[in-house]
């Protein structure tokens, strides 16, 4: 910068510099394409599928590499637990990659990661409760909770990012709860 590039008070005139050097340029997702229902659903579906593929690969490697007998079973179960944690990380990263350039994409991916963590903690708590004998009967059926919690992986982040209204979250949770009640009633009557 020469003396000719200085402003009236001796300060540099930054208007002659490129935007990236003067502190301007693209910041965040302002002016970006809005996040849509289809894009958010595709992001969550891709994240979940990538997570499931990760678990399958880790489990296959563990089964092939594990010794036979009880030691092998322990190694496979440990690999499964680690694979589930890695799968959650992979799912969160895939969702982030899908929505990072969209308006409110950061909020969507952050809330998705939080919802995934809540789902993981709920599943671990239910498995521990069923394994210890605290949960018996229909309450010990862990698959029933998935009818309520798994749809929340999309509805809660979508509502937080403004893709859908909050009443969609309530409607989906209510529909999941109705399915759970119907399944429990069918099991009790048959």
């Amino acid at each position: 910068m020469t003396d000719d590039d200085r402003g009236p008070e001796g300060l540099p005139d930054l208007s002659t510099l490129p935007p990236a050097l003067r502190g301007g340029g693209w910041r965040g997702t302002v002016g970006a394409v809005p996040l849509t229902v289809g894009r958010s659903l595709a992001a969550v579906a891709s994240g979940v599928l990538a997570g499931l593929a990760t678990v399958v690969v880790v489990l296959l490697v563990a089964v092939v590499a594990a010794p036979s007998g009880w030691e092998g079973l322990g190694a496979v179960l440990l690999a499964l637990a680690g694979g589930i944690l890695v799968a959650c990380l992979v799912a969160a990263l895939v969702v982030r990659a899908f929505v990072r350039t969209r308006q409110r994409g950061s909020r969507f991916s952050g809330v998705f990661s939080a919802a995934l963590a809540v789902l993981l903690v709920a599943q671990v708590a239910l498995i521990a409760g069923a394994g210890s004998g605290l949960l018996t009967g229909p309450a010990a059926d862990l698959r029933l909770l998935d009818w309520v919690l798994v749809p929340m992986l999309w509805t809660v982040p979508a509502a937080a990012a403004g893709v859908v209204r909050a009443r969609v979250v309530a409607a989906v949770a209510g529909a999941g709860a109705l399915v759970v009640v119907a399944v429990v009633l069918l099991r009790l009557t048959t």
Side-chain angles (χ1 to χ4, degrees):
M1 187 171 275
T2 64
D3 288 336
D4 294 338
D5 294 333
R6 300 216 176 256
E9 298 172 5
L11 298 174
D13 182 18
L14 298 179
S15 65
T16 60
L17 295 174
L21 294 177
R22 68 174 181 243
W26 187 64
R27 296 206 189 267
T29 57
V30 176
V33 178
L35 184 61
T36 62
V37 170
R39 181 73 169 198
S40 61
L41 277 170
V44 171
S46 298
V48 169
L49 288 175
L52 288 174
T54 302
V55 169
V56 168
V57 168
V58 167
L59 198 55
L60 287 175
V61 169
V63 167
V64 169
S68 61
W70 290 106
E71 298 86 20
L73 179 62
V76 169
L77 289 177
L78 186 60
L80 179 62
I84 289 172
L85 290 176
V86 171
C88 289
L89 179 63
V90 166
L93 290 173
V94 167
V95 167
R96 176 69 182 140
F98 256 80
V99 298
R100 68 180 170 82
T101 60
R102 303 295 174 131
Q103 286 178 0
R104 298 187 182 171
S106 295
R107 180 180 297 169
F108 182 86
S109 65
V111 175
F112 172 81
S113 298
L116 189 60
V118 167
L119 178 64
L120 184 63
V121 168
Q123 291 294 330
V124 168
L126 284 173
I127 289 169
S132 67
L134 294 175
L135 298 175
T136 58
D141 190 359
L142 305 177
R143 292 170 297 180
L144 291 179
L145 182 68
D146 292 339
W147 284 99
V148 177
L149 290 181
V150 170
M152 297 296 171
L153 286 176
W154 175 72
T155 57
V156 172
V163 175
V164 296
R165 295 179 188 245
R167 64 180 172 218
V168 171
V169 177
V172 170
L178 286 175
V179 169
V180 169
V181 168
V183 169
V184 169
L185 289 176
L186 283 174
R187 287 184 182 172
L188 291 176
T189 58
T190 56

